[in-house]
Amino acid sequence: MTDSPAPRTRKPKATTATPAAAAPDSPAAEPTVSPTAPALADQLLALDVSAVPGFFRALVDFRFTTFITRRIAGFIYAILLVSILLAGLVAFFSIVVTGVGLMTGGQPVSGVLTVIGALVLVPIATLVAVVLARMIVEVNVALVAIAENTAGLRRP
């Protein structure tokens, strides 16, 4: 895991021997130029974020030298797991209520088949969704692990 990249140093600004350059806080010391899109992108990439703590530093790292995927993968999986289980419960109860409504509405065979279908299909669908969510999170973590492990092999 690459939590702390090599510290970046800022280049000192070129100064001239004029009296306006002697006072760095004065408005005449720095020209006001509206940045264009490439200049703004260069400024964002040149930001020194070494003073910001690890997780938040990675969020503002526009060069993508640090990865947050491994740090938040467990949290994302927990959110997915809770969401899938809640969706499974809602689906189960709504299908059962529909089946009971069919039974009391004069269609007992359709109602019983609907309830049996809920008992069989909803747990299977929920299990498949949990497995797929786990696989997606694992693939993303594996890709980041590959990127972190092969970072040293890149040519300058």
Side-chain angles (χ1 to χ4, degrees):
M1 196 179 320
T2 311
D3 283 340
S4 56
R8 298 181 191 153
T9 57
R10 290 187 178 193
K11 295 179 183 177
K13 294 181 180 179
T15 58
T16 59
T18 62
D25 294 334
S26 68
E30 207 154 317
T32 57
V33 177
S34 64
T36 61
L40 182 60
D42 290 339
Q43 288 176 359
L44 287 175
L45 290 175
L47 283 176
D48 183 20
V49 293
S50 59
V52 182
F55 179 76
F56 295 105
R57 177 181 31 203
L59 287 178
V60 295
D61 178 19
F62 291 96
R63 292 183 186 263
F64 292 96
T65 56
T66 57
F67 299 97
I68 63 168
T69 305
R70 282 183 161 182
R71 296 179 202 171
I72 65 169
F75 179 71
I76 297 295
Y77 179 64
I79 289 174
L80 288 172
L81 191 62
V82 168
S83 300
I84 291 168
L85 292 177
L86 285 176
L89 284 173
V90 168
F92 177 76
F93 285 117
S94 64
I95 294 172
V96 167
V97 166
T98 302
V100 170
L102 287 172
M103 282 189 257
T104 59
Q107 298 176 341
V109 176
S110 296
V112 169
L113 290 176
T114 302
V115 171
I116 291 173
L119 289 171
V120 174
L121 296 178
V122 171
I124 292 172
T126 303
L127 179 65
V128 168
V130 168
V131 169
L132 288 175
R134 178 66 188 209
M135 289 171 57
I136 289 169
V137 171
E138 285 181 2
V139 164
N140 286 316
V141 169
L143 286 173
V144 168
I146 290 169
E148 288 175 344
N149 291 333
T150 59
L153 301 176
R154 290 187 208 140
R155 293 187 181 128

